[in-house]
Amino acid sequence: RELFDRCLADCPPEAASEFYIQYGEYEENHGLTKRALSVYERMCNAVPAAEKYTAYRLYIAKAIHYLGVTSARPIYESAIAALEDGPASRICLEYAKMETGLREIDRARTVLVYGAQLADPRRDPDYWTAWHDFEVSHGNEETFREMLRVKRSVQAAFSTVNYNAAEMGAGAPKVETLTDEGALEMIASQEGVDLQEKPLIGGFVQGKRTAEMADLGEVERRAARLRQATGAVTNNAIATNGADDEIDIDDIEEEEEEETPTPAGKVGVKGVKEKAIPAAVFGGLAAGGNK
């Protein structure tokens, strides 16, 4: 016993399972059953994750053999908590099968409901087939509908989960990332279309064009000719309207000269009317002049 303990203290977990099994068999043959079960329990906690499922199954089998079926319930619960989803769902099936054998139908259904959240219906159909058969044999219409409802909710929950890239892409060939030009060339070759490089305006999507409007330079030339034609029409319209409304300044001046005659000896200024100056402006000069 001391030799086994010292060996397992320094043994790496990857190689410890064989020594734990030998230690457990030694306690079964030469020691106590309680000590043998404790060795198997230590093995379940010490081995790597890949070997935990096998270790727990061995521990459960030994517990049922020595202590009875009901003694395996806490071991099943510990195994479900410690294992990953896939192995845990299989443990749930074994646990429910044990409870069904004990005629504990409600306990078995509770185990199946709990394990359903660990089993994706698309990746683990065996779990749902087993639950289906259980409800057909021991359930009723209400419990069968409840099983279908749980299945739909679990499937919807798993559809939103992002699986690990290593798990989903294991064994898949690596594909090089295509650039925009490479993708266009690949699509053109598959569809049998000649790919012509044309300047694209950033931020806009090219619309459909007719054959005549396909060239951007042709569009610009047509727009220039349209602007020239529009400008010529506008100038002609302005010239035509302005001919009727034009003001002749010479005619106005001639009319004013006819209306206001200029006295003899005085030089008149065009566009200026003459008016007599009041005597008060000149003051005494005006009085002396009169004298």
Side-chain angles (χ1 to χ4, degrees), residues 16-229:
S17 59
E18 185 66 26
F19 293 101
Y20 275 112
I21 294 174
Q22 294 179 8
Y23 192 6
E25 292 177 353
Y26 170 79
E27 291 293 347
E28 290 180 41
N29 296 326
H30 306 284
L32 300 175
T33 303
K34 184 177 180 180
R35 292 185 64 88
L37 294 178
S38 65
V39 170
Y40 293 124
E41 183 179 4
R42 287 172 55 189
M43 179 180 64
C44 295
N45 297 327
V47 297
E51 301 178 7
K52 283 184 179 294
Y53 175 68
T54 305
Y56 270 108
R57 292 194 65 188
L58 178 60
Y59 182 24
I60 291 170
K62 295 294 183 180
I64 293 175
H65 176 71
Y66 290 110
L67 302 178
V69 177
T70 56
S71 63
R73 286 173 176 167
I75 305 175
Y76 274 118
E77 296 173 0
S78 300
I80 294 171
L83 295 174
E84 297 179 355
D85 290 353
S89 64
R90 294 195 293 271
I91 288 290
C92 287
L93 286 179
E94 296 178 7
Y95 191 8
K97 185 177 180 180
M98 185 197 74
E99 295 292 353
T100 304
L102 296 174
R103 309 304 299 172
E104 295 285 350
I105 304 301
D106 292 337
R107 290 180 63 92
R109 183 177 290 110
T110 303
V111 173
L112 291 172
V113 171
Y114 181 83
Q117 61 183 331
L118 309 175
D120 186 358
R122 294 166 297 183
R123 302 179 62 188
D124 193 2
D126 295 338
Y127 184 92
W128 297 93
T129 302
W131 192 3
H132 178 276
D133 296 340
F134 172 83
E135 294 296 345
V136 170
S137 302
H138 306 285
N140 51 38
E141 183 178 357
E142 183 179 355
T143 58
F144 189 83
R145 288 181 177 179
E146 180 66 15
M147 184 267 294
L148 295 178
R149 186 192 67 80
V150 173
K151 183 178 181 179
R152 288 193 299 267
S153 62
V154 170
Q155 187 171 1
F158 272 99
S159 64
T160 60
V161 175
N162 295 324
Y163 293 103
N164 193 323
E167 179 183 0
M168 298 299 295
K174 294 183 179 180
V175 180
E176 296 182 358
T177 303
L178 292 176
T179 61
D180 295 341
E181 293 78 6
L184 290 175
E185 292 177 358
M186 182 181 67
I187 295 174
S189 61
Q190 292 177 355
E191 298 294 335
V193 179
D194 294 335
L195 185 62
Q196 298 179 357
E197 295 184 358
K198 295 181 179 180
L200 300 178
I201 302 175
F204 293 88
V205 179
Q206 280 190 324
K208 295 182 179 179
R209 297 180 178 177
T210 60
E212 297 178 355
M213 302 292 289
D215 189 2
L216 184 59
E218 179 65 22
V219 177
E220 293 179 353
R221 287 193 292 273
R222 290 193 180 189
R225 288 198 296 270
L226 181 61
R227 286 196 297 269
Q228 292 177 359

